[in-house]
Amino acid sequence: MSKRIADAFRNGKAFIPFITAGDPDLASTERFVLAMAEAGADLIEIGIPFSDPIAEGVVIQEADIRALRSGTTTDKVFEMVKSLRQKTDIPLVFMTYLNIVFYYGYERFFARCAEVGISGIIIPDLPYEEKNECAGIAAEHQVEIVSMIAPTSRERIQTIASDAEGFLYVVSSMGVTGVRQKITTDLKTIVGQIREVTSLPAAIGFGISTPGQASDMAAISDGAIVGSAIVRLIAEYGREAEEPVREYVRQMAEAVHRL
Amino acid sequence: MTNPNGRFGEYGGQYVPETLMNELIHLEAAYNYYKKEPGFCAELEELLNNYAGRPSRLYYAEKMTKDLGGAKVYLKREDLNHTGAHKINNCLGQVLLARKMGKTRVIAETGAGQHGVATATAAALLGLECEVFMGERDCQRQKLNVYRMELLGAKVHHVKTGSQVLKDAVNEAMREWASRVEDTHYVIGSTMGPHPFPMIVRDFQSVISREARAQILEKEGKLPDVVMACVGGGSNAMGMFWNFIPDEHVRLIGCEAAGKGIDSGETAATINTGKIGVFHGMKSLFCQNQDGQIDEVFSISAGLDYPGIGPEHAYLHSIGRAEYAAVTDEEAVEAFEYLSKTEGIIPAIESAHAVAYARKIAPSMDKNQVIIICLSGRGDKDVASVANYRGVKIDE
């Protein structure tokens, strides 16, 4: 039995890396995920590529294009996860856009998630108001839908948090994913408001790339999520990215776990 | 027809990142307040009448009618509006609303450039900063409009991601909006995107059918048999349909861009070839592949070159209230030339899709029947690309 989202936060702060499935190909993705698990990641986000990822910056947009060009399909991603599951029990969540899930069919998609051992899903274009779209079906298959909280959420924070499952994904900055020099949002206050209404963990993502940033973010929450910085290594090293990714995740996980 | 969550049957909704949700809620509240506020309504009416040139004429196309030998054909002359298309109706409304909301900057996507030009115009007039996102491929085929927007003081971003057309311009505009939502309003140009946009754009465009309905009653003493318009996202069509929807015997026909044909794989005919999905903030019909990846679509018309359709059109289609016909590039170009020679009116290549379909159905209709075509825009911007289509090289 693979681990659940809650297990990722059981031993303190969590480091959560993201990777786009199929970039540069699915066999490489499988190796990279295993490397990240070995290097100390607590939970891994696997992105199913989408042609038009409106919440992503250029780095992940390009990864999606590379992944689709390499022939990545939803079915092939499920197969890759199934194969991964023979080798690791690390908790895994998907990150993708609603149309991918909708088009596959909610029942079929979440049943497959349960079958291959996916514990949750992050869908950036599924806000609180539209969650009922597939929350019921996901719950039947024990797949947790991770809710996002943004710098603009204000009075919505506690509404979203009280109804959340898995963990809260706190978006650090305005705009899209991508590496940032500085994060200026008052995240401490946001995390504080979340903690008033739920005991679920809250992890911060968007814009984090250095061990220092990861440590700062994890210090005021329950974990740090990193995507673009890893995807950038894969863009640079391609199939040879396993060691650079392993080394990067090792440093980042260490920075978070030291807390 | 619109329920509180912005649904049209199963279509519509608000499928956007959390970062934008509060802004959409705020926008809906502001719109619902101002649409009933006498000061706002008076100011908008003044702009529409004395700046944009409304009401637009309902013109009896006598030569075309005689030539086709069937139904009487009327043209709703949105092409005579300031900036040359129906787009200004929506832009004046939204930019005025943005200013009331305290915004100092507007952004917009554009395909053919007409919506970008109209937004830049309204922003120049009302004193807001303006930035327009336009696919690089569209910038190439609509160079004149790019320069026009710059002339009006707007900054034009050439979008080089994806297929570099309208869909990609919407992606970039949404990304930009999410990064700067406090002082910026996103002027969506069609009846698409997340609620409340399909409702707001429809309402601002409904002036077309409000006028046309009164005008035809005055001229013919009866309602038309057919009302038709081209459909990309669907704003001129929703505007043209809206006040006729309760008149159940009036046929509503949307004409979509079939590109090289609906079976050619190079088409933008969403109703005819698309499937239900969720994209650009709405549940609607989209051209997409077997994995739900959005297709690259194709049309000679940059304004109809979009893989989706507004949710209210998907709904009107689903309940059978409106019909949607597919018109090829070749048919549209022929209609473009036909209207120019027959009536001395050069239509936008988008509007030419509706003219083309009227040429198909008018001859088999009775002489006492009436068709109104929404002539959504003028064709000056398309002269170079039609010449190119015909193999004629001209320097702009």
Side-chain angles (χ1 to χ4, degrees):
Chain A
M1 184 70 184
S2 49
K3 288 185 186 151
R4 311 284 308 165
I5 291 175
D7 297 319
F9 296 89
R10 207 144 273 162
N11 303 314
K13 311 277 181 179
F15 178 67
I16 307 170
F18 164 91
I19 186 168
T20 302
D23 170 29
D25 56 57
L26 283 164
S28 301
T29 304
E30 192 177 336
R31 284 188 292 120
F32 301 162
V33 171
L34 290 171
M36 294 195 292
E38 288 159 11
D42 299 286
L43 167 70
I44 296 173
E45 275 182 36
I46 297 177
I48 306 178
F50 182 49
S51 54
D52 297 85
I54 58 151
E56 313 299 341
V58 166
V59 171
I60 296 177
Q61 283 174 43
E62 287 174 354
D64 281 12
I65 293 170
R66 288 193 297 272
L68 291 172
R69 284 207 182 121
S70 79
T72 307
T73 63
T74 312
D75 274 324
K76 287 181 187 170
V77 175
F78 277 122
E79 286 307 311
M80 188 265 300
V81 174
K82 201 173 163 186
S83 160
L84 257 178
R85 272 289 170 243
Q86 319 293 316
K87 299 156 193 158
T88 177
D89 66 351
I90 190 168
L92 296 172
V93 297
F94 276 147
M95 207 303 303
T96 195
Y97 288 78
L98 186 60
N99 201 46
I100 297 297
V101 186
F102 177 81
Y103 204 83
Y104 199 85
Y106 293 141
E107 174 59 36
R108 188 169 156 237
F109 187 91
F110 291 111
R112 281 290 272 157
C113 285
E115 186 194 321
V116 301
I118 289 285
S119 314
I121 185 165
I122 301 160
I123 308 174
D125 57 350
L126 187 74
Y128 176 76
E129 278 74 2
E130 302 291 358
K131 208 177 148 188
N132 283 339
E133 180 81 31
C134 56
I137 301 174
E140 278 171 34
H141 295 285
Q142 285 86 49
V143 178
E144 295 177 301
I145 296 183
V146 175
S147 296
M148 300 178 101
I149 284 176
T152 49
S153 293
R154 297 186 292 268
E155 71 283 3
R156 295 167 56 79
I157 294 172
Q158 298 201 329
T159 313
I160 296 169
S162 0
D163 195 44
E165 46 191 5
F167 72 97
L168 269 306
Y169 188 129
V170 179
V171 175
S172 77
S173 315
M174 297 295 290
V176 293
T177 55
V179 171
R180 285 172 174 80
Q181 294 295 323
K182 260 192 177 151
I183 293 165
T184 53
T185 310
D186 180 7
L187 295 160
K188 219 171 172 169
T189 304
I190 293 179
V191 173
Q193 287 173 296
I194 293 170
R195 287 190 173 146
E196 280 173 21
V197 295
T198 179
S199 56
L200 286 177
I204 301 175
F206 274 44
I208 304 170
S209 65
T210 66
Q213 284 175 320
S215 168
D216 289 349
M217 292 299 116
I220 55 169
S221 69
D222 301 298
I225 306 165
V226 172
S228 296
I230 292 163
V231 171
R232 216 162 48 176
L233 287 173
I234 296 168
E236 187 181 344
Y237 294 98
R239 291 184 180 82
E240 316 303 319
E242 187 176 329
E243 287 318 309
V245 167
R246 185 194 306 273
E247 179 53 25
Y248 177 78
V249 170
R250 192 187 58 72
Q251 285 176 26
M252 296 292 280
E254 249 178 46
V256 169
H257 293 154
R258 251 200 311 268
L259 292 165
Chain B
M1 202 167 294
T2 312
N3 83 16
N5 296 321
R7 292 279 166 178
F8 308 95
E10 67 182 305
Y11 304 105
Q14 297 183 300
Y15 301 90
V16 294
E18 170 59 21
T19 306
L20 292 174
M21 276 310 299
N22 252 332
E23 187 60 23
L24 291 180
I25 293 166
H26 179 46
L27 173 63
E28 183 179 2
Y31 173 68
N32 284 333
Y33 171 76
Y34 282 110
K35 75 175 181 189
K36 292 186 208 135
E37 201 262 317
F40 177 85
C41 296
E43 208 175 330
L44 180 58
E45 197 180 331
E46 167 69 18
L47 288 172
L48 288 173
N49 293 349
N50 293 316
Y51 183 71
R54 301 208 72 85
S56 72
R57 301 288 192 268
L58 184 69
Y59 167 73
Y60 171 43
E62 193 175 355
K63 282 184 73 189
M64 180 175 171
T65 299
K66 285 192 174 140
D67 180 64
L68 296 178
K72 279 180 99 167
V73 177
Y74 281 86
L75 304 176
K76 180 61 175 162
R77 298 292 306 274
E78 293 299 307
D79 60 317
L80 295 179
N81 295 341
H82 179 42
T83 71
H86 70 293
K87 294 291 186 189
I88 193 76
N89 305 332
N90 169 48
C91 291
L92 286 171
Q94 280 201 52
V95 176
L96 191 61
L97 178 64
R99 201 174 69 171
K100 297 276 183 199
M101 290 172 71
K103 306 286 180 182
T104 55
R105 176 175 176 259
V106 289
I107 55 170
E109 83 293 342
T110 196
Q114 290 304 102
H115 175 59
V117 166
T119 306
T121 299
L125 177 72
L126 297 170
L128 279 81
E129 214 182 308
C130 177
E131 294 185 28
V132 179
F133 294 81
M134 187 168 182
E136 174 63 19
R137 224 167 79 198
D138 291 339
C139 291
Q140 289 309 319
R141 54 181 170 176
Q142 298 287 353
K143 282 182 191 155
L144 207 59
N145 271 344
V146 174
Y147 190 71
R148 246 164 138 195
M149 288 183 267
E150 288 167 350
L151 209 53
L152 291 159
K155 182 175 178 197
V156 181
H157 296 271
H158 296 229
V159 175
K160 294 185 173 130
T161 53
S163 41
Q164 310 186 352
V165 293
L166 181 53
K167 163 192 89 144
D168 312 284
V170 176
N171 291 345
E172 275 313 302
M174 282 190 166
R175 288 176 185 131
E176 173 63 23
W177 201 30
S179 73
R180 201 173 150 184
V181 83
E182 294 296 330
D183 69 345
T184 301
H185 174 69
Y186 177 15
V187 183
I188 288 191
S190 195
T191 47
M192 49 153 287
H195 176 69
F197 283 105
M199 169 182 80
I200 291 177
V201 179
R202 175 201 70 205
D203 288 355
F204 285 141
Q205 291 296 357
S206 66
V207 65
I208 301 174
S209 52
R210 193 160 62 242
E211 289 172 5
R213 198 172 182 282
Q215 287 165 325
I216 199 72
L217 284 173
E218 197 189 313
K219 284 176 194 287
E220 292 287 335
K222 61 170 189 174
L223 289 171
D225 297 277
V226 173
V227 157
M228 54 200 298
C230 64
V231 180
S235 71
N236 93 85
M238 264 330 292
M240 188 71 230
F241 291 175
W242 181 246
N243 290 283
F244 291 107
I245 291 174
D247 304 315
E248 280 173 23
H249 58 281
V250 177
R251 271 175 80 189
L252 309 175
I253 306 177
C255 304
E256 13 178 57
K260 294 184 177 169
I262 54 172
D263 300 319
S264 68
E266 291 181 85
T267 180
T270 310
I271 294 258
N272 284 278
T273 66
K275 295 198 179 72
I276 186 167
V278 179
F279 183 49
H280 282 166
M282 58 183 167
K283 185 176 277 183
S284 191
L285 298 170
F286 297 96
C287 299
Q288 50 188 322
N289 77 5
Q290 68 286 347
D291 279 305
Q293 306 293 349
I294 304 302
D295 277 339
E296 290 192 9
V297 293
F298 181 89
S299 165
I300 187 173
S301 147
L304 304 180
D305 204 348
Y306 182 69
I309 187 164
E312 197 161 10
H313 282 293
Y315 173 69
L316 291 174
H317 171 70
S318 74
I319 60 167
R321 180 64 190 92
E323 310 156 45
Y324 294 84
V327 173
T328 64
D329 284 356
E330 179 61 28
E331 291 166 331
V333 170
E334 281 170 14
F336 180 90
E337 294 162 339
Y338 174 84
L339 198 68
S340 303
K341 293 198 169 70
T342 312
E343 292 286 348
I345 297 170
I346 303 176
I349 191 69
E350 289 77 19
S351 323
H353 285 71
V355 175
Y357 197 66
R359 291 177 75 198
K360 279 190 186 171
I361 63 168
S364 59
M365 290 172 68
D366 282 347
K367 285 196 163 64
N368 61 3
Q369 290 189 298
V370 171
I371 294 177
I372 303 177
I373 305 170
C374 185
L375 207 70
S376 56
R378 67 178 180 225
D380 308 46
K381 67 181 177 57
D382 301 307
V383 171
S385 64
V386 169
N388 183 46
Y389 182 87
R390 288 298 188 213
V392 179
K393 279 206 158 55
I394 50 172
D395 288 325
E396 268 189 85

